[in-house]
Amino acid sequence: MTRKIVVAISGASGAPYAKRLVEVLAARRDQHGDLEIGVCLSSTAPEVWALECGGDVRAHLASLGLQSWGMRDYKAPFASGSAGWHAMVIVPCSMGTIARIAHGISDTLLTRAADVMIKEKRPLVVVPREMPLSIIHLENLTALARAGVTVLPAMPSFYGRTHSLADAVDTVVGRLLDQLAIEHDLLHRWGGKERAQ
Ligand SMILES: Cc1cc2nc3c(=O)[nH]c(=O)nc-3n(C[C@H](O)[C@H](O)[C@H](O)COP(=O)(O)O)c2cc1C
């Protein structure tokens, strides 16, 4: 069965997480042919990507064979529950996007797609990035958690002998792939074998 996954990229810091995720998913699609990936960008995402990863996000996505949709592209299939997309991740997820989704403000393709996942009771994973978190952020995140959304903060771990920034990114992206039930070897698993360096 082909699983259809939406990857949404907002304008929070953390574009390297999104870059790594789309690269791993595209490689998996090319190897197994069992994934369809739709990418949706907020209007601020390209600016943050250029700053943090360098280059143009749309060009990078195109080089991976990924179509990216803009904020007003409501013709994107995942704008409707009837298209049956299986899961969605928002990585990184800004506090503005968290707030809009928590209050049902479906004013862009990204927030509409998230609204669809919640109403259809399909997996939605958000990767928020902000510090410190205000009471407003925490209440909005709580509202999403109550609605069944998985809140997976961009909090790298270091117990797996994290040697580089790329390793740190993988500690987050690996847990994200776990949520999507996609096999990978990005993580050192607690109690597991040492990861090859
Ligand atoms: C370089 C840069 C880094 C940012 N980092 C964050 C962040 O970590 N978290 C956050 O909530 N907003 C961050 N912002 C602000 C958001 O981009 C801004 O609130 C934007 O309106 C969010 O809209 P979007 O979610 O539609 O992308 C950052 C902005 C820039 C330019």
Side-chain angles (χ1 to χ4, degrees):
M1 184 189 88
T2 299
R3 274 202 298 155
K4 301 196 279 188
I5 296 175
V6 187
V7 177
I9 306 174
S10 86
S13 180
Y17 298 116
K19 182 169 187 275
R20 179 68 164 147
L21 180 69
V22 290
E23 288 170 356
V24 171
L25 290 177
R28 158 95 198 195
R29 175 208 55 197
D30 294 344
Q31 205 178 353
H32 298 276
D34 59 354
L35 282 185
E36 185 175 343
I37 308 153
V39 184
C40 155
L41 303 171
S42 84
S43 43
T44 326
E47 180 186 338
V48 179
W49 179 293
L51 201 67
E52 297 185 337
C53 301
D56 179 68
V57 57
R58 289 191 181 82
H60 188 68
L61 293 168
S63 76
L64 298 171
L66 295 172
Q67 181 178 7
S68 57
W69 302 85
M71 286 296 89
R72 306 250 68 86
D73 287 337
Y74 289 104
K75 61 184 179 302
F78 45 82
S80 167
S82 63
W85 282 64
H86 297 102
M88 176 174 179
V89 300
I90 309 176
V91 56
C93 192
S94 77
M95 290 303 139
T97 286
I98 291 284
R100 285 188 285 278
I101 298 169
H103 292 273
I105 302 170
S106 304
D107 59 343
T108 64
L109 173 63
L110 194 159
T111 50
R112 165 64 185 163
D115 198 54
V116 164
M117 298 314 281
I118 294 171
K119 83 180 171 75
E120 300 290 339
K121 298 192 173 15
R122 297 198 189 120
L124 170 61
V125 185
V126 295
V127 184
R129 216 265 12 140
E130 189 49 277
M131 71 168 60
L133 292 167
S134 73
I135 188 70
I136 295 170
H137 301 149
L138 291 166
E139 285 182 352
N140 287 335
L141 288 165
T142 302
L144 290 187
R146 287 208 176 100
V149 175
T150 299
V151 178
L152 191 150
M155 290 181 182
S157 64
F158 297 90
Y159 56 80
R161 303 207 180 162
T162 306
H163 295 289
S164 66
L165 211 48
D167 289 345
V169 167
D170 279 359
T171 65
V172 173
V173 175
R175 298 306 301 272
L176 198 43
L177 291 164
D178 286 350
Q179 289 296 322
L180 297 172
I182 291 176
E183 286 169 27
H184 64 88
D185 61 356
L186 269 55
L187 291 177
H188 166 84
R189 296 195 184 273
W190 188 246
K193 284 190 294 190
E194 285 295 313
R195 200 163 68 129
Q197 297 299 328

